[in-house]
Each structure stands twice: as structure tokens, then as C-alpha cells.
Amino acid sequence: MDVLVTRGTIIGDLLDRNPQAAQILTEAGMHCLYCPAARGETLEEACQVHGIDCGPLLERLNGK
């Protein structure tokens, strides 16, 4: 990805910039990516709701 993904990145913005991120998020356990509420959440908020450790997910989204 050319733009750094952070804990404050909005899910909808991430998916608009990088549709391939949906696969990573889905594999992590986020299956409601396209519902209106999810699109407005930050990555950190979505991780909290789904009980996901945000750190490793951020590394994966940022290609590390």
C-alpha cells in the first residue's frame, strides 16, 4: 500500500484506496466490512469489536 494504514484509518477509506485489503480484514475475522456502520469505524474500533489484536493486522496491511 502506498499510504500508511494506522489505528485511526477509517475502514471505508481503506477499502476505497485498497480493495485488496478486504481479503486481509476478512481473514482476520471482520466479515461485515461493507455495512454502513463498519465503513465509518476506525481500524482500531473494528479490532476492538471483533476481539482482534490490531498490531499484527496493521503490519500485514502495511506489508510488513
Side-chain angles (χ1 to χ4, degrees):
M1 226 186 143
D2 58 338
V3 177
L4 183 68
V5 180
T6 68
R7 292 174 183 272
T9 298
I10 303 295
I11 297 289
D13 294 342
L14 172 60
L15 295 173
D16 290 345
R17 286 193 320 258
N18 183 2
Q20 295 81 12
Q23 180 177 350
I24 294 171
L25 296 173
T26 301
E27 289 171 0
M30 295 182 192
H31 300 283
C32 55
L33 297 175
Y34 296 100
C35 78
R39 286 191 56 88
E41 289 181 325
T42 65
L43 186 60
E44 184 170 46
E45 290 168 335
C47 284
Q48 288 174 348
V49 167
H50 291 90
I52 297 168
D53 184 354
C54 201
L57 183 57
L58 280 171
E59 289 179 5
R60 189 155 177 225
L61 288 166
N62 285 308
K64 296 181 181 177

